[in-house]
Amino acid sequence: MAAPLRGSLGRMPRHVGSPPIAAKIRDVAEVINTPFRFVQDALRFPKSERRCERRLQESLERRPNVLMVYSAPKTASTSVAAAIEACDAFTVIKVHHVQPEFFWPGVGTQLHTAHGGMRHKAIEQRTTQRFLERHAGDIRVVSLVRDPIAFNISNFTYFGRAYWLRTHWRSARWMPEEELARRFFATFTHEASSVWWQREFAPTMGFNPLTEPFDTELGWKQRVSGRFNTLILRTDLTDQAKSAALRAWLPGIEITDVGRVNLNENQSPPELAQRLQSALTRNPEYVQRMLELPAARHFWSDAQRAGMAHKAANFGR
């Protein structure tokens, strides 16, 4: 595993106020509660997985055509799934991981994979894995790719309560920018957005998209691989362009317009992402490193990545 990143933090505001004593107490209690949460999850998940599998079978009886929205976490896949589900033509499976190396056992265990990926826990994982093993029919698959800087900030803040900031979550809103950035650089799986394509998508779909041509101006690509008819779609496209790509990929299906859902601020205080974005204006080396990841170099042109670097450097200006 690569050494933790130690970005230069520069001069930052060191105080944003002090959290209330109740928030501090609840954060301390979370440390004590760790083993109980692990046991609770171990008891709860099998039941939840059985319920998920039952619902999948019920949906397949009514809608035998299968479409899998298969993307890394926080890639705007929920909005695409919602547009597809609205047409009621498919059993839609939404999943982030089906490769066991990405399955997270739970609280108190390692979040990083050996190859720099981000482990995740969700009831859909094993259910979908078993479905893919037994299902012999064709499956449509749409996967979204998000720029690594936005991906990292969104995942770190959105899943902070469960992962990286779990024992600081109640007081995180008052955490100084310097401390928040330090935790981000030291603990997050920074290469996860690229690793997902190589270690998760490729073995599941039977091809590695990073070794095949991609039209960076168009921003999407259709590819058939065995039983999988795949659409790879960049999230920075406009909603109108995403809708058009879905309709081209699914001719004859009335796809509703893609719109934004599952906003990050519904899960985490928006100021956390804003502080990290501010911190990155003083860390051009980090930004450049992320834009040199294999997936970033493949799915965006040099000019497009230069624009992303400029945007990161000028946040808030």
Side-chain angles (χ1 to χ4, degrees):
M1 183 175 63
L5 296 180
R6 306 290 185 184
S8 172
L9 297 176
R11 297 181 62 186
M12 298 183 182
R14 303 187 65 87
H15 300 288
V16 292
S18 179
I21 188 64
K24 295 180 180 179
I25 292 173
R26 293 184 69 186
D27 280 342
V28 172
E30 188 63 38
V31 178
I32 302 171
N33 201 33
T34 293
F36 299 101
R37 285 192 180 277
F38 189 89
V39 172
Q40 183 184 44
D41 280 352
L43 296 174
R44 178 174 57 89
F45 254 71
K47 181 179 179 180
S48 297
E49 287 178 331
R50 288 192 295 271
R51 183 169 60 249
C52 179
E53 189 150 8
R54 183 173 63 252
R55 290 174 177 172
L56 174 59
Q57 293 305 316
E58 292 171 353
S59 178
L60 287 169
E61 292 174 2
R62 292 182 284 115
R63 295 177 291 267
N65 294 323
V66 180
L67 192 152
M68 190 162 71
V69 181
Y70 177 45
S71 288
K74 300 309 297 176
T75 52
S77 59
T78 301
S79 60
V80 170
I84 296 170
E85 286 180 316
C87 73
D88 201 35
F90 302 97
T91 286
V92 178
I93 299 173
K94 294 169 282 189
V95 68
H96 299 308
H97 300 100
V98 296
Q99 293 297 320
E101 76 171 86
F102 292 93
F103 293 178
W104 184 52
V107 174
T109 62
Q110 180 63 257
L111 281 164
H112 299 64
T113 71
H115 298 88
M118 177 177 62
R119 299 171 85 186
H120 192 68
K121 186 169 187 176
I123 60 174
E124 299 86 5
Q125 292 175 162
R126 289 181 175 83
T127 298
T128 305
Q129 181 191 39
R130 290 190 290 265
F131 169 77
L132 292 176
E133 289 173 350
R134 67 175 182 264
H135 183 75
D138 294 338
I139 302 175
R140 294 173 175 84
V141 180
V142 57
S143 299
L144 291 101
V145 53
R146 189 176 186 182
D147 88 73
I149 299 167
F151 177 94
N152 290 356
I153 291 176
S154 184
N155 273 279
F156 182 79
T157 56
Y158 187 87
F159 294 112
R161 182 172 187 172
Y163 298 167
W164 300 276
L165 298 171
R166 187 176 60 84
T167 57
H168 303 274
W169 187 250
R170 276 77 180 186
S171 55
R173 184 185 295 270
W174 295 271
M175 188 177 290
E177 185 177 300
E178 181 180 26
E179 175 62 15
L180 183 65
R182 185 192 67 78
R183 292 181 181 277
F184 171 71
F185 286 125
T187 64
F188 188 71
T189 49
H190 297 276
E191 299 180 1
S193 62
S194 189
V195 171
W196 188 89
W197 292 97
Q198 299 162 302
R199 301 288 304 181
E200 171 67 42
F201 182 95
T204 305
M205 295 294 105
F207 73 97
N208 184 351
L210 304 190
T211 64
E212 301 185 355
F214 184 84
D215 187 338
T216 58
E217 293 303 317
L218 183 63
W220 61 273
K221 176 181 179 177
Q222 181 180 356
R223 165 77 147 82
V224 175
S225 175
R227 60 180 172 150
F228 298 112
N229 181 346
T230 65
L231 174 68
I232 296 174
L233 183 65
R234 274 209 334 245
T235 61
D236 60 314
L237 298 179
T238 65
D239 289 341
Q240 292 80 4
K242 292 174 189 173
S243 302
L246 289 174
R247 290 165 184 147
W249 179 52
L250 300 171
I253 303 296
E254 294 186 6
I255 300 294
T256 62
D257 292 338
V258 174
R260 193 179 180 200
V261 297
N262 197 30
L263 299 180
N264 197 47
E265 52 264 33
N266 291 342
Q267 174 74 7
S268 63
E271 57 264 37
L272 298 185
Q274 293 165 5
R275 287 176 201 155
L276 287 178
Q277 290 171 317
S278 176
L280 293 190
T281 65
R282 290 172 288 278
N283 284 270
E285 299 86 359
Y286 174 82
V287 171
Q288 193 58 41
R289 175 176 170 178
M290 294 301 99
L291 296 178
E292 290 295 325
L293 291 174
R297 292 185 60 84
H298 185 73
F299 291 119
W300 285 271
S301 68
D302 291 346
Q304 289 167 338
R305 287 185 292 113
M308 293 154 65
H310 178 78
K311 179 180 178 180
N314 290 275
F315 172 75
R317 299 178 186 175

